[in-house]
Amino acid sequence: MAYRKSIGLAFFWCVIFMCLGTRVTSQSKQVTYLTNSSLKLAAPIIQVDSLLFKNSALAKVLLRQDGAELRYTLDGSEVSVGSPIYESPLELDKTTQLRAKAFHPDYQPSETISLTTRQIQKDLRTAEIQIQPKPSETYSASGAKTLIDGQKGSPNFRQGNFWLGFQASEISVALNFEQPKEIKKVVVSVLNDQDSWIFLPQKLMVSASGKTLGSVTLDGCHEKQTKHGDFLEIAIIPDAYSELTVKIAPMEGIPEWHAGKGTTPWTFIDEILIE
């Protein structure tokens, strides 16, 4: 009998503690519900029929979200609620940095996305071109002429025949023109795909007849970045030139945070332009 009484008391106190525990837990936990106003819109997508063009390019801004309003700028400035509303495809007839952002009365605005399209101002297809060292046999496209054929590669460098790939301490590209050309800027189209050990170069320099005309250093090339193509601009002393040499220097080694740390990074180039 005493044994049964002990079991009963133990069971009684067990139930009491469980009830108290449940009460304390229910009082200490607060359920938080997300509201629409705390959610951010997905970023829109920019589609363009050609990143590199002679006359014009057609750009579309897309987002599947009922009630969302797309706004954009064409001068590289930040997109705001006062920017133009995107209503139909945009015809771009000059070098343009298109930026777009989505707005909705019930959600936070999306991230701003950006895409640069570039007009070919001077045709280089008849120029003589030499490259040292030669590109990798795996990524040699159509040889040196690839860089002046007016064809832009996509960030998927394995698709098509557009990119020259180098794993060297310096790449030198010599251009000779049939007639002197008025030039104030050189543009090098490069790729950044760090998962494939392809990094932006650290420094670019332009010279003529042994004289340095201009250079640019990229301080952020060591930082983690998403895959993208980029047009790197080097302003030079404006003049008429019959020849130019473009030297492209990568980082000395892949940064410590990367699996390929210390290795010479790959440099991918698909076009050189002059303006």
Side-chain angles (χ1 to χ4, degrees):
M1 186 71 177
Y3 175 75
R4 289 183 178 180
K5 187 176 181 180
S6 299
I7 295 296
L9 287 172
F11 178 76
F12 171 77
W13 285 111
C14 182
V15 171
I16 294 296
F17 283 129
M18 288 178 64
C19 290
L20 288 173
T22 303
R23 184 179 178 185
V24 171
T25 302
S26 63
Q27 289 179 345
S28 62
K29 288 185 177 179
Q30 294 184 352
V31 180
T32 302
Y33 297 95
L34 289 174
T35 60
N36 284 353
S37 61
S38 66
L39 299 176
K40 179 180 289 189
L41 286 169
I45 296 172
I46 298 178
Q47 291 182 349
V48 62
D49 59 359
S50 179
L51 288 172
L52 200 59
F53 60 89
K54 293 180 181 178
N55 299 315
S56 65
L58 197 66
K60 297 179 181 179
V61 184
L62 308 173
L63 179 67
R64 292 184 178 180
Q65 175 65 54
D66 293 339
E69 190 173 68
L70 295 173
R71 293 181 178 270
Y72 69 94
T73 60
L74 298 176
D75 59 0
S77 60
E78 182 54 55
V79 184
S80 69
V81 291
S83 301
I85 298 175
Y86 174 83
E87 296 178 323
S88 60
L90 304 169
E91 185 174 3
L92 311 176
D93 59 1
K94 61 182 179 180
T95 297
T96 302
Q97 185 182 3
L98 170 60
R99 306 189 80 184
K101 190 173 185 175
F103 297 86
H104 194 287
D106 298 330
Y107 301 95
Q108 292 186 27
S110 73
E111 298 290 339
T112 301
I113 58 169
S114 177
L115 184 71
T116 298
T117 59
R118 198 158 209 109
Q119 183 181 33
I120 299 174
Q121 297 186 11
K122 298 181 186 292
D123 192 343
L124 293 182
R125 287 177 297 175
T126 60
E128 293 182 6
I129 180 169
Q130 294 181 335
I131 303 176
Q132 291 293 334
K134 292 182 179 181
S136 162
E137 291 185 5
T138 307
Y139 308 112
S140 58
S142 300
K145 285 288 186 179
T146 301
L147 299 185
I148 53 174
D149 62 2
Q151 301 295 313
K152 183 77 184 73
S154 75
N156 183 358
F157 63 91
R158 295 183 177 90
Q159 187 178 63
N161 204 30
F162 304 103
W163 292 98
L164 298 186
F166 303 84
Q167 196 173 29
S169 59
E170 184 178 79
I171 302 127
S172 179
V173 182
L175 296 165
N176 286 274
F177 314 121
E178 290 181 321
Q179 300 291 332
K181 295 180 181 292
E182 293 288 339
I183 306 171
K184 61 181 180 180
K185 183 187 298 182
V186 176
V187 182
V188 181
S189 176
V190 296
L191 178 65
N192 184 36
D193 184 356
Q194 295 174 347
D195 288 342
S196 300
W197 298 23
I198 302 169
F199 284 73
L200 298 179
Q202 184 166 15
K203 186 173 182 179
L204 300 95
M205 184 183 72
V206 179
S207 63
S209 302
K211 177 184 178 181
T212 300
L213 305 176
S215 65
V216 63
T217 300
L218 280 69
D219 295 327
C221 61
H222 300 80
E223 301 172 359
K224 292 183 181 180
Q225 300 180 35
T226 57
K227 179 167 66 174
H228 68 281
D230 207 347
F231 291 105
L232 304 180
E233 301 182 357
I234 310 103
I236 67 171
I237 301 170
D239 206 343
Y241 298 98
S242 57
E243 56 92 11
L244 288 176
T245 297
V246 183
K247 291 187 177 181
I248 303 155
M251 299 177 291
E252 291 185 1
I254 292 177
E256 288 293 317
W257 54 262
H258 193 277
K261 60 182 179 181
T263 305
T264 300
W266 283 89
T267 303
F268 271 54
I269 312 167
D270 70 339
E271 205 69 22
I272 290 181
L273 309 170
I274 59 173
E275 297 179 358

